[in-house]
C-alpha cells in the first residue's frame, strides 16, 4: 500500500484560482516543492524546474496510458518522432506561412478594430488563434466553432480530472482527424498540399505513421496552439494597455516585438504547468520523492523566480533569453516555438498599427482566466 503524503496545497482552491500568479509566487516562497493530491509533487523554483527539464532520464514524459506523439515519449523513441516534426517549423516553412499569417491578422484587425472599444478575447484573440490554426493545418474554417468547443470542454475536464470525459474528448478529436484524413485519401493526387496531407506521407522506422499517431500529433499541436496563442494575445495586449510607455515604444519600434513578447510572457505566462514522472528515487528541494511519482512543473512561477530574474515584475529587454522557460528547455523544448513567435509578432503588430492608444477600461475590469488556463477570460479595451 502506498503511503499517504501530506497535502501542502490545493491547486484548485478558490484562492489559487482567483489569482494564479500571486498564489504561485507565495508557494515558491512558502513551499517550493509542494505535494497535492491533484498534481503530485509541484515545483515552483526555476532551478528545480530546469533540473527536471534537463534530466529526461530521471524525469520521464511518459505520464499517460494513451499515446502522445511526441510529448508523452522519452528518447530514443521521442527522438525519431521529433525528427519528423521539427521540419514543419523550419525557417523555410515559417517564411512560406508568414504572408498567410499576416493576411489573417490584417483581415481580423480590419473587421474588428474599427470600434473605439473591443472585448479582446472573444472578438480578436480567440478568432485569431482558431483561424491561424486552421490555416496552418489546412483545415476548413468551418471547424473553428468545433475546435473552440473542444478546447473549452477539454480544459473543463482537465480541471475536474474527469477521465471518462477526457477519453471521450480524445475519441471526438480522433474522429475529427479521421474525417480530414478520409477527405484527403478520397482526393488522392488532388488532395490539398498542406500540413495534414504531408503528415500522411511521413514514415517512422520504415513504416507510414498510423492514423492514431497523426491524430495524436495534431491533437498536441491543437491543444498547445489554440489555447496558448489566444491567452498570449490577451496577456500581451493587457500589459501594453497597462504600460503606455512600453506600448508606444513598441509601436514606434515593431522590430523589438520578438524580444518584448517573450519578456512580457515571462512575467505572465500563457501556460500554467506540465507533467513528468520520476523513474527513480530523487531529492528535490529537501523532499525525498519516490520512483513513479507525479511531478508538475509550474512554468509561471519558475519564470517569475527572483533568484533568476531580479525584480521579476519589471519589463526588461536586456535579460538573458536563455533563462526564459517560456518554450521549455532540453530535449522536449517546444518545436512549435518559431511558429508561435511569428504568429504573436504578426498579430501584435496589427493590433498596434490599428490602434493609437490601448487602454484598460476602469468600469469594466479584465477577468482573469482560471486553471488550467492562464491569461484573461475577458479583456475589454479602449483602442484610442
Amino acid at each position: 500500500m502506498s503511503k499517504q503524503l501530506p497535502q501542502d496545497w490545493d491547486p484548485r482552491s478558490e484562492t489559487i484560482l482567483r489569482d494564479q500568479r500571486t498564489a504561485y509566487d507565495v508557494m515558491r516562497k512558502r513551499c517550493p516543492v509542494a505535494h497535492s493530491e491533484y498534481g503530485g509533487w509541484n515545483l515552483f523554483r526555476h532551478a528545480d524546474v530546469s533540473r527536471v527539464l534537463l534530466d529526461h532520464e530521471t524525469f520521464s514524459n511518459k505520464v499517460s496510458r494513451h499515446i502522445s506523439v511526441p510529448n508523452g515519449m522519452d528518447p530514443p523513441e521521442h527522438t525519431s518522432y521529433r525528427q519528423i516534426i521539427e521540419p514543419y517549423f523550419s525557417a523555410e516553412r515559417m517564411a512560406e506561412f508568414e504572408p498567410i499569417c499576416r493576411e489573417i491578422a490584417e483581415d481580423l484587425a480590419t473587421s474588428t478594430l474599427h470600434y473605439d472599444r473591443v472585448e479582446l478575447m472573444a472578438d480578436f484573440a480567440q478568432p485569431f488563434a482558431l483561424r491561424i490554426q486552421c490555416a496552418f493545418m489546412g483545415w476548413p474554417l468551418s471547424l473553428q466553432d468545433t475546435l473552440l468547443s473542444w478546447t473549452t470542454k477539454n480544459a473543463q475536464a482537465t480541471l475536474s480530472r474527469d477521465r471518462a470525459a477526457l477519453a471521450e474528448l480524445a475519441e471526438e478529436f480522433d474522429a475529427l482527424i479521421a474525417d480530414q484524413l478520409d477527405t484527403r485519401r478520397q482526393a488522392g493526387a488532388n488532395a490539398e498540399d498542406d500540413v495534414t496531407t504531408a503528415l500522411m506521407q511521413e514514415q517512422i522506422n520504415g513504416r507510414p505513421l498510423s492514423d492514431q499517431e497523426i491524430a495524436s500529433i495534431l491533437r498536441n499541436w491543437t491543444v498547445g496552439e489554440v489555447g496558448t496563442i489566444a491567452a498570449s494575445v490577451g496577456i500581451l495586449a493587457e500589459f501594453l494597455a497597462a504600460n503606455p510607455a512600453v506600448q508606444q515604444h513598441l509601436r514606434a519600434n515593431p522590430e523589438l516585438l520578438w524580444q518584448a513578447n517573450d519578456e512580457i510572457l515571462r512575467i505572465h505566462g500563457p501556460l500554467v504547468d506540465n507533467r513528468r514522472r520520476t523513474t527513480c528515487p530523487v531529492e528535490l528541494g529537501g523532499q525525498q520523492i519516490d520512483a513513479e511519482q507525479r511531478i508538475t512543473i509550474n512554468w509561471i512561477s519558475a519564470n517569475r523566480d527572483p533568484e533568476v530574474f531580479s525584480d521579476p515584475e519589471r519589463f526588461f529587454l536586456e535579460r538573458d533569453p536563455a533563462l526564459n522557460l517560456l518554450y521549455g528547455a532540453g530535449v522536449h523544448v517546444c518545436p512549435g516555438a518559431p511558429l508561435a513567435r511569428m504568429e504573436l509578432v504578426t498579430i501584435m503588430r496589427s493590433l498596434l498599427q490599428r490602434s493609437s492608444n490601448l487602454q484598460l477600461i476602469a468600469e469594466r475590469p479584465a477577468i482573469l482566466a482560471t486553471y488550467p488556463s492562464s491569461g484573461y477570460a475577458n479583456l475589454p479595451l479602449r483602442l484610442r
Side-chain angles (χ1 to χ4, degrees):
M1 180 181 296
S2 60
K3 61 183 179 181
Q4 187 69 32
L5 294 170
Q7 303 305 298
D8 299 310
W9 77 311
D10 180 2
R12 296 181 292 177
S13 71
E14 183 179 347
T15 301
I16 304 295
L17 296 179
R18 188 184 307 121
D19 184 353
Q20 294 183 83
R21 282 181 296 163
T22 299
Y24 300 151
D25 286 345
V26 170
M27 287 303 301
R28 190 180 56 248
K29 297 176 184 177
R30 181 176 71 81
C31 190
V33 180
H35 189 267
S36 74
E37 182 180 353
Y38 180 80
W41 291 99
N42 299 256
L43 310 183
F44 296 94
R45 289 188 301 210
H46 190 282
D48 294 328
V49 170
S50 296
R51 177 182 170 187
V52 169
L53 297 177
L54 299 177
D55 184 0
H56 60 266
E57 293 183 353
T58 303
F59 303 97
S60 170
N61 262 47
K62 289 186 176 181
V63 296
S64 173
R65 295 169 295 174
H66 306 289
I67 183 172
S68 179
V69 183
N71 302 35
M73 296 175 169
D74 296 324
E77 182 184 34
H78 167 269
T79 307
S80 299
Y81 286 96
R82 181 79 181 218
Q83 289 171 348
I84 292 173
I85 287 170
E86 285 187 342
Y88 287 89
F89 305 99
S90 67
E92 293 77 15
R93 280 185 178 264
M94 294 304 95
E96 291 175 4
F97 188 60
E98 196 273 339
I100 299 171
C101 182
R102 187 170 62 248
E103 181 180 350
I104 292 172
E106 279 300 293
D107 180 65
L108 189 58
T110 301
S111 62
T112 304
L113 303 180
H114 56 274
Y115 300 105
D116 288 337
R117 297 186 180 195
V118 64
E119 201 300 284
L120 194 98
M121 296 309 300
D123 296 339
F124 192 71
Q126 285 180 347
F128 175 72
L130 292 164
R131 286 181 62 176
I132 209 71
Q133 181 70 357
C134 288
F136 182 70
M137 301 291 201
W139 296 347
L141 288 179
S142 59
L143 284 180
Q144 287 183 93
D145 290 342
T146 301
L147 289 176
L148 179 59
S149 173
W150 186 87
T151 53
T152 300
K153 289 186 292 185
N154 191 64
Q156 293 169 345
T158 299
L159 177 62
S160 60
R161 188 161 283 171
D162 187 336
R163 298 189 184 280
L166 287 169
E168 183 177 330
L169 285 165
E171 291 182 3
E172 184 180 314
F173 194 90
D174 287 353
L176 182 154
I177 298 303
D179 182 63
Q180 293 300 310
L181 300 185
D182 287 344
T183 298
R184 286 159 175 78
R185 288 190 176 112
Q186 291 173 16
N190 296 319
E192 294 291 335
D193 181 17
D194 55 38
V195 166
T196 303
T197 301
L199 279 173
M200 296 172 69
Q201 315 307 316
E202 297 287 359
Q203 292 200 345
I204 183 76
N205 300 324
R207 63 165 177 82
L209 289 174
S210 68
D211 286 5
Q212 185 182 27
E213 289 168 328
I214 295 172
S216 178
I217 291 169
L218 295 176
R219 183 169 59 246
N220 282 330
W221 287 358
T222 301
V223 172
E225 180 81 356
V226 173
T228 52
I229 288 296
S232 295
V233 174
I235 291 167
L236 294 168
E238 193 279 341
F239 182 90
L240 295 181
N243 295 270
V246 176
Q247 177 188 158
Q248 297 305 335
H249 185 60
L250 294 177
R251 188 175 274 112
N253 302 276
E255 70 279 3
L256 295 177
L257 279 169
W258 291 93
Q259 305 99 298
N261 286 350
D262 277 15
E263 171 64 357
I264 295 168
L265 296 175
R266 179 199 63 76
I267 297 170
H268 187 167
L271 181 64
V272 180
D273 56 30
N274 277 129
R275 296 182 296 163
R276 297 291 192 274
R277 171 181 58 84
T278 55
T279 61
C280 60
V282 65
E283 185 272 330
L284 278 170
Q287 298 280 11
Q288 298 298 323
I289 301 175
D290 294 337
E292 300 302 319
Q293 294 295 301
R294 288 176 296 156
I295 300 289
T296 299
I297 52 179
N298 191 294
W299 302 109
I300 292 177
S301 175
N303 262 343
R304 294 166 57 82
D305 190 339
E307 293 296 318
V308 177
F309 305 101
S310 60
D311 194 4
E313 285 276 9
R314 183 168 69 99
F315 173 83
F316 185 54
L317 286 178
E318 283 68 38
R319 296 187 193 275
D320 182 354
L323 298 174
N324 191 337
L325 299 178
L326 176 62
Y327 294 103
V331 298
H332 292 287
V333 65
C334 178
L339 176 64
R341 284 189 168 108
M342 184 267 287
E343 291 173 348
L344 293 175
V345 166
T346 302
I347 192 65
M348 293 310 295
R349 182 184 291 118
S350 292
L351 178 59
L352 289 173
Q353 288 175 345
R354 295 284 178 172
S355 63
S356 58
N357 186 20
L358 297 174
Q359 301 172 64
L360 301 175
I361 302 174
E363 63 272 22
R364 294 184 59 200
I367 299 173
L368 286 166
T370 57
Y371 186 87
S373 301
S374 182
Y376 297 91
N378 187 273
L379 180 58
L381 288 182
R382 186 175 288 112
L383 301 179
R384 49 191 60 84

